[in-house]
């Protein structure tokens, strides 16, 4: 069997970086839809991160859970936390969360699916 390399499709989520930073303040999250898929867009001092909007523990929304100083996003319902760089649940109580590539470009903010 042949397994081809997955091709990333890029979608503009904000038409300028100024708009992205205005609508997703530092250390905050926002719920976005990209190609019909709900994502959580998080912004830290290290940039923007995109991840599944639903917690893998019980499929509940994580967008309003918040971001911790250690670079994790936290589920507001059960306090599970995922590392924004790796997608790993930090205490290994739940499954990992899917991350999506984010690019800051001159023409805006893009997320790859």
């Amino acid at each position: 069997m042949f397994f081809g390399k997955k091709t990333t499709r890029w979608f503009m989520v904000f038409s300028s970086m100024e708009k992205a930073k205005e609508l997703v303040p530092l250390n905050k999250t926002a719920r976005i839809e990209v190609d019909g898929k709900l994502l959580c867009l998080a912004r830290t001092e290290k940039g923007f991160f995109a991840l599944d909007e639903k917690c893998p523990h019980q499929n509940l929304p994580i967008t309003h859970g918040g971001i911790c100083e250690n670079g994790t996003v936290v589920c507001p319902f059960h306090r599970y936390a995922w590392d924004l760089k790796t997608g790993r649940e930090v205490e290994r109580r739940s499954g990992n969360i899917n991350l999506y590539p984010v690019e800051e470009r001159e023409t805006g903010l893009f997320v790859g699916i």
Side-chain angles (χ1 to χ4, degrees), residues 29-32 38-41 51-66 73-80 82 97:
T29 60
R31 182 178 175 184
I32 61 171
L38 292 178
L39 300 179
C40 174
L41 183 66
L51 56 151
D52 282 337
E53 205 275 330
K54 298 290 184 178
C55 167
H57 170 234
Q58 288 190 342
N59 207 31
L60 297 168
I62 62 168
T63 300
H64 300 291
V73 64
V74 179
C75 174
F77 299 97
H78 299 104
R79 309 302 297 163
Y80 288 23
W82 292 271
I97 202 161

Side-chain angles (χ1 to χ4, degrees), residues 26 36-37 46 57-59 63 68 76 81 85 96 101 106 108:
L26 193 59
K37 185 173 192 63
K46 296 184 180 187
H57 170 234
Q58 288 190 342
N59 207 31
T63 300
C68 296
K85 288 184 180 178
N96 297 335
E106 287 182 23

Side-chain angles (χ1 to χ4, degrees), residues 4-78:
K5 184 178 178 180
K6 183 181 180 229
T7 302
T8 301
R9 295 183 313 158
W10 292 95
F11 297 87
M12 179 188 294
V13 292
F14 292 104
S15 59
S16 72
M17 289 309 302
E18 293 79 21
K19 191 70 166 173
K21 291 175 182 177
E22 174 188 329
L23 295 176
V24 187
L26 193 59
N27 296 318
K28 299 290 182 186
T29 60
R31 182 178 175 184
I32 61 171
E33 186 174 338
V34 178
D35 195 35
K37 185 173 192 63
L38 292 178
L39 300 179
C40 174
L41 183 66
R43 181 175 168 222
T44 72
E45 290 179 357
K46 296 184 180 187
F48 287 90
F49 300 87
L51 56 151
D52 282 337
E53 205 275 330
K54 298 290 184 178
C55 167
H57 170 234
Q58 288 190 342
N59 207 31
L60 297 168
I62 62 168
T63 300
H64 300 291
I67 298 175
C68 296
E69 290 179 12
N70 64 356
T72 60
V73 64
V74 179
C75 174
F77 299 97
H78 299 104

